[in-house]
Amino acid sequence: MTDHQPPLERTVFNFHGIGVPHAGVPADEAPYWCPTDLFMHLADAMADLLREGRSIEITFDDGNRSDLDIAAPILADRGLSATFFACSGRLDDPRYLDGAGLRSLEVMGMVVGSHGRNHVDLRRADAATLRQETSGSQQTLSEALGRPVDRFAIPFGSYDRRVLGALKTYTRIYNSDQTRAGPQNQRFVPRISYTTGWTKETVQQRVAERYSYVRQQKQNLKSTLKRLR
């Protein structure tokens, strides 16, 4: 047995805004914003790990303007790509990405997905709102990009059987279950989200740490129960 993780196991790192949170960011979401200088170091660490053969994926939620202005150039400079999940109801808000910004991300080699319409807890949404947040946001973003949008990141990581049923038109769904993911063709993808206190070593540790069989089974059970409730 080597020190490397099994080849099918990958780590999906999720970020929100980069830099200083703007006025539209609630206080309880501020800890998920990463300072620019630190993000550069984290991007260096992720690039190094990829060169070592580790399986890593990078995502961003919320569609903040900093995705295009700060994060994407840092990633591109290091040969990295990411999936950026935007909220379709924020396209007219200058603090967030508009259609032109989303298209610019794709020109840079990034992928754009949906994070719903208005960033609501989908488990608490009524039927009409759930449709707007899932298929409605998909249609709006697809029209803005001129191509189908087939990836979705669940706001607040809040899901159940009803929510997943509303996401049937998406080929890949990302949650926030704070554990490593499985093979590349996995449809329901867990992520590990950045929060205040991370260092470059945190990225390395999250990729290198071994999951015991018991820990992995507990996590699998937890996810299964969420999907069935």
Side-chain angles (χ1 to χ4, degrees):
M1 182 177 296
T2 68
D3 290 334
H4 290 276
Q5 296 296 334
L8 292 180
E9 200 169 54
R10 61 198 165 103
T11 308
V12 183
F13 289 110
N14 185 47
F15 295 89
H16 293 77
I18 306 299
V20 179
H22 56 73
V25 178
D28 60 350
E29 293 184 15
Y32 295 99
W33 275 64
C34 181
T36 302
D37 288 346
L38 174 58
F39 183 68
M40 290 181 179
H41 292 305
L42 300 182
D44 287 336
M46 291 185 286
D48 289 343
L49 288 164
L50 280 170
R51 282 190 290 269
E52 293 172 7
R54 302 292 183 135
S55 183
I56 294 173
E57 187 177 345
I58 305 167
T59 67
F60 286 77
D61 284 356
D62 299 345
N64 289 292
R65 183 71 193 184
S66 65
D67 291 353
L68 177 63
D69 294 343
I70 304 175
I74 291 173
L75 295 174
D77 284 347
R78 291 155 177 80
L80 299 171
S81 63
T83 300
F84 292 83
F85 293 101
C87 294
S88 64
R90 296 172 172 176
L91 297 181
D92 294 327
D93 188 327
R95 298 170 297 187
Y96 297 92
L97 295 167
D98 57 11
L102 297 176
R103 293 189 292 273
S104 294
L105 285 174
E106 292 201 325
V107 169
M108 297 176 70
M110 310 298 167
V111 178
V112 174
S114 173
H115 197 41
R117 180 174 179 80
N118 295 310
H119 200 268
V120 303
D121 185 334
L122 299 183
R123 289 190 67 207
R124 299 181 179 181
D126 60 31
T129 301
L130 186 58
R131 285 194 299 271
Q132 293 174 353
E133 293 290 329
T134 54
S135 58
S137 68
Q138 185 177 38
Q139 180 178 350
T140 299
L141 293 173
S142 295
E143 290 173 353
L145 291 168
R147 62 128 187 113
V149 168
D150 60 2
R151 299 184 183 188
F152 189 95
I154 300 173
F156 308 107
S158 179
Y159 63 90
D160 56 18
R161 180 169 48 186
R162 186 178 72 107
V163 170
L164 297 182
L167 295 170
K168 60 182 180 295
T169 57
Y170 291 88
T171 60
R172 190 172 297 180
I173 303 167
Y174 292 76
N175 61 53
S176 302
D177 282 354
Q178 304 302 314
T179 188
R180 278 200 294 268
Q184 292 289 342
N185 62 355
Q186 183 180 24
R187 181 170 184 259
F188 196 58
V189 186
R191 301 179 294 173
I192 297 173
S193 296
Y194 164 86
T195 188
T196 298
W198 276 30
T199 66
K200 185 174 182 178
E201 288 69 33
T202 305
V203 167
Q204 298 165 336
Q205 291 166 1
R206 292 298 174 89
V207 173
E209 67 179 325
R210 294 187 179 280
Y211 284 19
S212 69
Y213 176 79
V214 172
R215 175 181 177 182
Q216 191 61 58
Q217 291 306 306
K218 284 182 177 180
Q219 184 59 49
N220 292 343
L221 177 60
K222 181 179 179 181
S223 177
T224 298
L225 291 175
K226 285 184 179 180
R227 281 182 272 183
L228 293 177
R229 63 188 174 185

